[in-house]
Amino acid sequence: MSVAGLSGLKHVAQRFIISGMAVRVAAAVLGWAICLQAVEPTGEQIYAQACSSCHDGGESRAPSFDVLRQLSSDAILESLRDGVMAYVGETLGDGQVETVALYLGQGTAELPILTRRSCPDAEWSNPLRGPRWIGWGADLSNSRYQPSDLAGLTAADVPRLELRWAFGLPDATRARGHPTVAGGRVFVGSRSGHLYALDAKSGCTVWEFAARSEIRTAILVSPPDDAGRTLLFFGDTKANLYGIDAATGAQIWRTKVDDHRSATLTGSPVLFEGRLYLGVSSIEEFTGRFAEYSCCSFRGSVQAVDASNGERIWKTHTIPEEPQPRWRNAKGVMQVGPAGAGIWSAPTIDAKLRRLYVTTGDNYSDPPTDDSDAIIAYDLESGERLWSQQFTEGDAYNMACNSNADGVNCPQADGPDFDFGSSAILVKLDNGKRALVAGQKSGMVHAIDPDQDGAILWQSRAGAGGKLGGIQYGSATDGRNVYVAVSDYRGPRPDSVGGLVAYRLADGQELWNVPSAPCPRDRPQCSPAHSAAVTAIDGVVFSGSLDGHLRAYAAGDGSILWDFDTVRDYDDTVNGVAARGGSLNGPGAVVVDGMLYVNSGYGAFGSMPGNVFLAFGVAEGPPPK
């Protein structure tokens, strides 16, 4: 019985007592109601029993209680019913999901009536003719480099960057959708599952599209078809891939790319010759934490999809072997494997050899395989696996292995969790050779030869590594050097972690290393770690950190050219949604046509929550002193 039902039952009983009718029966009914209310747990009790061990127990990947309280009950309910917390929701009794959602969200919060500016009769032309940044890496090589003709921003301009407009993301504590800019519009996804099409210069809203769950991937833009129509492609966290009309936001097709209950799309798809190529990951590493769960059965995959209709062309698992029953945990629950090797990042296209390259995550259960923590090459046409280069052996891990968990489902391998969260970058070296360069959570930067089946060219250590350490979301290259953000996250407050390092592409020689700036003493949940993806333009490298600062570094020596603290309130957003900045994590900055765009806020991993999308332009006059 719900809390509301119990309250009504007590009210009826009290009316009987007041009227003097059937006093004994009424007293019995009231006593029964009170008894039922005593045994039916409150939202606070449900949270303490089912949620607190993660959210208050030092689990770095879970948002804290204070962060959860910033969401609406509807957002929490969606997560428990059909989102990342669905497994936990299934373990709760009748009505308990609703009860704890109401407790945390403090009632069903309606989204605010927006005062945003809508764009009147916004024009839309061929988006591939003008300045643009499309997808995660800006090009098929995932360089995250913007040339000067598209950037419209020079090193001399950077010190004069100023905030032009801010867009508030409703019902969110994190802003981690990677923006795409094309045709004078910026497209950005949100935690609520909305995709927003905004005017790139003013931030006015062209249209909105509601996906089925959070959009973390970058957005792709197709060339115009014979009818002049362009499509947008992206994925959501429920493993849905979408094709929608770029001019109107109307859905053209939607494809579920994996039926596993834990499957998700975090790595952005890439578009090449009419096909979408994408990798699939999962949240089963988290679900494996629970002793009652039969861990684990998800295998990562790389897929090719027809961009015109969403139909799958081929699918190849990163782990060829199907999971089999292996052993029973201390509670008698069968454990299965192998599992894992998900693909968290965007594939890299090699047009010369007609191949694609993906980086993989760790295994979730025993036995560990040689497919995890690796760079793997596949044939573009058929999906045939061509070669694999593994960098950490025996890395089978799930969150049952953490110190605050019971360890029942922890694999015997109990790996270090040194997977890849970033894409490999395909580069051409001065000696004519080519290289794939990728940073790993181990703290290592690897360069391998794609023309020699992944033979190692050089390796350099950028950081100490760790579960949230080393290199997280990706590096950038200007063709001469590779610029690497180092996290080495150790929780809020330590000031001696993270930074930005430059390496020479030719041989991995370190050129400069700039440590993180210390956190302000009065800023809670602050870490100086650099986890977000890096972005490069001519002479400048942009890197955001968990302390909320976005900084511009001189590519030559690492000196800081510009520093903007995004942690502040934004009450005058262009869409009327009150917003606040927080940690910078996940996607990096995007530079197009003299503007810089970045998300701020990351309510997870012990970081500072936030819900704002920011746009910067160059101020008139001389740079500030």
Side-chain angles (χ1 to χ4, degrees):
M1 183 177 291
S2 69
V3 174
L6 287 170
S7 298
L9 187 58
K10 287 200 297 181
H11 180 66
V12 170
Q14 288 164 350
R15 288 185 61 190
F16 272 116
I17 293 172
I18 293 170
S19 64
M21 297 172 58
V23 174
R24 291 184 180 178
V25 175
V29 172
L30 180 59
W32 179 47
I34 293 172
C35 180
L36 280 177
Q37 188 167 11
V39 298
E40 181 173 296
T42 65
E44 183 177 6
Q45 290 169 334
I46 297 168
Y47 175 83
Q49 180 180 5
C51 313
S52 180
S53 62
C54 281
H55 294 285
D56 300 326
E59 176 50 67
S60 59
R61 306 188 191 206
S64 68
F65 175 79
D66 291 337
V67 172
L68 293 175
R69 296 280 277 187
Q70 297 178 38
L71 293 170
S72 72
S73 296
D74 287 342
I76 296 169
L77 194 62
E78 185 275 336
S79 181
L80 285 166
R81 281 179 171 170
D82 200 25
V84 296
M85 299 300 295
Y87 178 77
V88 175
E90 291 174 4
T91 67
L92 300 178
D94 292 343
Q96 291 187 2
V97 169
E98 292 81 0
T99 299
V100 74
L102 286 170
Y103 163 68
L104 289 170
Q106 304 180 72
T108 301
E110 295 183 0
L111 294 183
I113 298 174
L114 305 184
T115 59
R116 62 173 175 260
R117 290 176 289 155
S118 295
C119 301
D121 300 322
E123 295 183 1
W124 177 252
S125 57
N126 186 342
L128 305 184
R129 287 180 178 169
R132 61 199 176 273
W133 178 300
I134 295 175
W136 175 265
D139 51 38
L140 296 176
S141 299
N142 279 317
S143 68
R144 295 197 58 83
Y145 165 74
Q146 186 72 302
S148 58
D149 59 324
L150 300 181
L153 190 70
T154 68
D157 294 328
V158 167
R160 293 188 288 126
L161 284 172
E162 64 177 7
L163 184 64
R164 288 288 176 84
W165 52 264
F167 185 90
L169 300 168
D171 201 11
T173 59
R174 58 181 180 251
R176 57 181 182 178
H178 192 291
T180 280
V181 183
R185 295 181 183 176
V186 55
F187 304 97
V188 62
S190 67
R191 191 221 64 82
S192 66
H194 281 76
L195 175 66
Y196 299 97
L198 311 175
D199 180 82
K201 295 296 185 182
S202 69
C204 65
T205 302
V206 181
W207 51 254
E208 298 177 22
F209 171 82
R212 299 200 170 189
S213 68
E214 180 180 4
I215 301 169
R216 291 184 60 180
T217 73
I219 317 300
L220 297 177
V221 185
S222 74
D225 61 19
D226 293 338
R229 184 182 68 176
T230 58
L231 298 185
L232 304 180
F233 309 106
F234 57 93
D236 69 18
T237 54
K238 292 180 184 174
N240 292 300
L241 184 67
Y242 298 84
I244 69 174
D245 190 315
T248 65
Q251 181 174 305
I252 306 302
W253 55 259
R254 178 180 64 85
T255 298
K256 183 82 168 178
V257 298
D258 197 300
D259 292 328
H260 194 285
R261 61 183 296 175
S262 296
T264 187
L265 289 177
T266 58
S268 302
V270 295
L271 177 65
F272 182 66
E273 295 183 348
R275 289 184 178 185
L276 295 167
Y277 296 95
L278 64 145
V280 185
S281 188
S282 85
I283 61 168
E284 198 177 28
E285 185 177 69
F286 162 76
T287 314
R289 184 183 198 276
F290 301 96
E292 298 79 12
Y293 183 75
S294 182
C295 179
C296 283
S297 57
F298 171 84
R299 292 179 293 160
S301 68
V302 60
Q303 303 185 27
V305 172
D306 188 325
S308 66
N309 55 26
E311 294 182 1
R312 180 186 295 149
I313 298 170
W314 54 256
K315 175 181 179 179
T316 305
H317 285 289
T318 53
I319 302 175
E321 181 184 356
E322 293 188 5
Q324 303 292 331
R326 299 291 175 175
W327 54 282
R328 293 187 183 275
N329 67 18
K331 294 196 174 183
V333 179
M334 180 60 70
Q335 305 296 288
V336 297
I343 301 170
W344 295 97
S345 56
T348 302
I349 301 295
D350 185 342
K352 174 185 175 182
L353 296 182
R354 311 290 298 179
R355 295 175 179 176
L356 67 84
Y357 309 104
V358 298
T359 58
T360 64
D362 54 7
N363 294 120
Y364 301 156
S365 58
D366 291 322
T369 70
D370 58 6
D371 316 286
S372 62
D373 302 357
I375 299 177
I376 307 179
Y378 296 91
D379 179 78
L380 278 176
E381 185 63 32
S382 65
E384 177 189 359
R385 175 170 164 160
L386 302 174
W387 53 260
S388 175
Q389 176 64 265
Q390 185 179 48
F391 298 97
T392 302
E393 297 180 356
D395 191 5
Y397 163 87
N398 63 61
M399 289 172 62
C401 303
N402 290 359
S403 59
N404 64 331
D406 57 20
V408 171
N409 282 355
C410 182
Q412 184 176 2
D414 191 5
D417 189 21
F418 281 171
D419 54 337
F420 283 91
S422 58
S423 301
I425 305 173
L426 181 61
V427 298
K428 186 176 181 179
L429 305 179
D430 291 340
N431 61 6
K433 282 184 173 289
R434 301 190 308 159
L436 283 167
V437 182
Q440 189 182 357
K441 284 168 57 179
S442 63
M444 296 297 295
V445 184
H446 311 278
I448 65 174
D449 190 338
D451 301 304
Q452 298 295 325
D453 294 345
I456 294 175
L457 296 173
W458 56 260
Q459 294 174 299
S460 297
R461 176 163 292 283
K467 291 179 172 59
L468 295 174
I471 299 108
Q472 290 278 330
Y473 283 99
S475 309
T477 180
D478 55 12
R480 299 179 299 277
N481 308 321
V482 60
Y483 306 97
V484 179
V486 180
S487 170
D488 282 353
Y489 178 81
R490 297 289 184 269
R493 295 272 33 107
D495 293 330
S496 59
V497 300
L500 190 67
V501 190
Y503 295 98
R504 190 165 56 202
L505 279 177
D507 53 12
Q509 177 68 40
E510 181 180 302
L511 301 176
W512 49 260
N513 187 330
V514 180
S516 298
C519 281
R521 292 289 96 189
D522 59 349
R523 182 163 291 179
Q525 292 180 280
C526 182
S527 168
H530 284 237
S531 185
V534 181
T535 301
I537 63 173
D538 286 343
V540 184
V541 183
F542 296 94
S543 181
S545 54
L546 298 185
D547 62 7
H549 284 256
L550 178 63
R551 299 178 178 92
Y553 299 80
D557 59 10
S559 58
I560 296 177
L561 305 174
W562 177 76
D563 184 343
F564 187 87
D565 186 356
T566 68
V567 183
R568 63 185 69 179
D569 292 322
Y570 301 88
D571 297 324
D572 56 347
T573 59
V574 291
N575 60 331
V577 174
R580 182 168 176 80
S583 295
L584 301 182
N585 201 357
V590 164
V591 181
V592 179
D593 195 22
M595 299 281 288
L596 181 149
Y597 306 90
V598 72
N599 272 310
S600 178
Y602 209 88
F605 306 114
S607 301
M608 293 179 288
N611 67 320
V612 70
F613 179 63
L614 302 171
F616 298 85
V618 179
E620 298 294 334
K625 295 182 180 180

